[in-house]
Amino acid sequence: MNAPANIRVIKSWAAPAISAAGRPFDLVVLVLPGFSHLALHAYLEPFRIANTVSRLPLFRWRIAGLDARPIEGANGLSVAVDFAIDELVLGAEDRRPNQLAIMTGEPVERQLTPELNGFLRTMARRGVPISAVGTATWLLARTGLLAGTRCTIHWSRLAAFAEVFNQARVSDSLFVKDGQYSTCAGELAAFDLAVDLIGSHAGGYIAQEVCRHATVEGQRSGSNRQTGPAGLAFVGVSDKLLMAMRIMEQNVEFPLAMDEVAQKAGVSRRQLERLFASHIGLPPVRHYLRIRTEHAKRLIEGTRMPIIDVAMACGFMSASHFAKCFRIFNGMSPQQCRARVPAWVGPGLR
C-alpha cells in the first residue's frame, strides 16, 4: 500500500536531514551546572517532535557534561549525561557532531575552566557549528570565539555584555546566526532556534508541523525582539511611538534632545508628547530618563565598572544628578545597588 500523500510530502521535505551514510543529524548539548530546564527542554523537544511527525529518525541528541556525573539545574533537578566532553575531543574527527549547543547557568562568569576553553576552541577549529543558549553567549565570548560576530544574549545581560566585551554587534533579538556560531536569548527562544535548525535541515513543512504540534502559532523569526519597549505592555499602538522608544533605547550614552527624537521618528514634538501621554502615561523626557537609569542598573549589577563610569555610559555628566535620578526610579542609590551584587561578579568583569 502506498504511503499517504501527506507522509510522502513529509519524507520528501525531510530527506536533506539524512546524511549519505543514513545517519540522523547529530546534536550534542553541553550542559553546565545551574542550567535552565526550560531552555534545555524548549530546545530538545522540537527535535523529538520532528522525528514523530515525520516518522523518520531525522535527529538524534546527546547530553554532554564536563565529566560523567549528573548535572544539577537551577531548579534543583539533575539530568544524566551521556558522555564527558573529553570523549568528544578524543573521538575521530569524522564522527564530530553536526551541532553543538551550550547551556549554562549562573554564575556564568565562573564556568569557563581551562578544560572547557580548550574543548570549545577544539570544536571550533574542527568546524563544528556552535550554538550558545542564553547566558552561554557570555561564556563563548570569553573564549574569544565571538570576536566580530553578530550575537545576542538574554535581555537582562545585554547592557553588561556590550560593555564588558566591547561588543557593538550584540542585538536584542530572539536568536542570531552568523557563520559558524548562533546565539540565542534562552528560555522559550531556544524553541525558536531549534525550529529554525529543523527548517534548515528537514524543510519548512516539518518546521511548521513541529510548531503546530506544540500549539505554537507560527514560526518566529530570529530577528524578532526579545522584549517590547520598556513600559509598553500592549499591542496596537502607533508605529511612530515604537520608533521613538527604540531611538531612545539606541541612544543612551549620548541622549538626544526631544526635538531630535521626534524628528527621527517622523512626528512633531507635540505629537510625540501626546503619544506618550496616551500610551505610556509619562512625558517622553521622563520615559527617556527611565530607560537610561534602567540601563545603568543593569551595568551596576552585571559589571564592576566604577559608578562614575556607569553614569557617563548612560549619559549623566554629574554624579549627583545620576544618583538622584537613579534613586527616583530604583528606590536606592547606585552604591546600595552595587552592594547587592553577588560576590561572583569579580574584578575581571568590571
Side-chain angles (χ1 to χ4, degrees):
M1 181 181 295
N2 291 332
N6 62 326
I7 298 300
R8 290 200 301 272
V9 169
I10 289 175
K11 288 185 177 182
S12 66
W13 279 64
I18 303 296
S19 70
R23 293 195 297 267
F25 188 90
D26 186 29
L27 296 142
V28 169
V29 183
L30 172 60
V31 178
L32 300 174
F35 71 94
S36 164
H37 275 269
L38 178 57
L40 176 62
H41 294 287
Y43 184 75
L44 287 181
E45 281 299 292
F47 300 111
R48 178 194 64 81
I49 296 171
N51 287 352
T52 299
V53 299
S54 67
R55 302 185 189 178
L56 292 168
L58 302 180
F59 301 94
R60 77 159 183 163
W61 49 92
R62 295 172 290 162
I63 303 293
L66 296 180
D67 52 43
R69 292 176 294 180
I71 304 164
E72 185 176 304
N75 62 7
L77 298 178
S78 297
V79 296
V81 302
D82 297 302
F83 61 91
I85 57 174
D86 58 355
E87 295 181 35
L88 205 56
V89 172
L90 298 173
E93 288 204 22
D94 63 349
R95 297 297 295 175
R96 61 178 180 259
N98 299 110
Q99 185 79 33
L100 171 67
I102 313 165
M103 308 260 178
T104 187
E106 300 291 1
V108 66
E109 291 81 359
R110 289 183 175 176
Q111 301 274 13
L112 190 65
T113 63
E115 177 192 18
L116 180 55
N117 183 69
F119 167 74
L120 293 174
R121 297 189 72 84
T122 297
M123 292 298 102
R125 194 163 53 248
R126 293 180 180 177
V128 176
I130 299 175
S131 296
V133 177
T135 53
T137 300
W138 191 293
L139 184 150
L140 199 57
R142 287 194 66 196
T143 68
L145 294 173
L146 290 184
T149 301
R150 292 184 302 111
C151 62
T152 190
I153 193 170
H154 190 270
W155 65 265
S156 64
R157 286 297 195 112
L158 275 170
F161 184 89
E163 290 289 341
V164 169
F165 297 103
N166 194 26
Q167 174 59 279
R169 305 191 74 192
V170 62
S171 66
D172 177 21
S173 304
L174 291 178
F175 62 89
V176 174
K177 299 188 297 180
D178 190 355
Q180 186 178 357
Y181 305 102
S182 55
T183 52
C184 167
E187 307 306 344
L188 293 179
F191 178 93
D192 302 295
L193 179 63
V195 170
D196 183 82
L197 183 59
I198 290 167
S200 298
H201 292 276
Y205 182 82
I206 296 294
Q208 292 170 18
E209 285 297 292
V210 168
C211 290
R212 194 163 72 92
H213 186 90
T215 65
V216 172
E217 195 170 330
Q219 185 176 347
R220 293 195 296 178
S221 168
S223 62
N224 285 10
R225 293 190 69 190
Q226 295 179 36
T227 58
L232 199 63
F234 48 89
V235 296
V237 299
S238 165
D239 289 341
K240 300 295 186 181
L241 175 61
L242 294 173
M243 186 183 301
M245 297 172 82
R246 178 66 70 88
I247 290 166
M248 292 176 180
E249 292 172 352
Q250 292 173 343
N251 293 273
V252 170
E253 185 171 1
F254 302 104
L256 305 176
M258 281 304 106
D259 286 337
E260 192 172 358
V261 172
Q263 182 183 22
K264 288 179 178 292
V267 295
S268 69
R269 171 75 178 266
R270 187 178 296 275
Q271 286 175 306
L272 185 68
E273 290 173 347
R274 281 201 298 265
L275 286 170
F276 271 87
S278 299
H279 296 289
I280 307 301
L282 287 175
V285 171
R286 191 166 180 82
H287 179 78
Y288 203 173
L289 191 59
R290 178 168 66 182
I291 288 174
R292 290 161 57 202
T293 56
E294 288 178 348
H295 188 81
K297 185 171 185 286
R298 288 192 287 271
L299 289 178
I300 289 171
E301 292 175 337
T303 75
R304 286 275 188 187
M305 291 173 64
I307 298 297
I308 186 62
D309 289 351
V310 171
M312 295 182 67
C314 298
F316 294 94
M317 296 299 104
S318 161
S320 59
H321 183 225
F322 170 59
K324 179 181 177 181
C325 294
F326 191 92
R327 185 181 289 277
I328 289 172
F329 286 98
N330 295 294
M332 68 183 90
S333 70
Q335 289 76 13
Q336 288 171 324
C337 182
R338 173 57 59 76
R340 293 167 36 166
V341 175
W344 47 260
V345 181
L349 298 175
R350 301 194 182 193

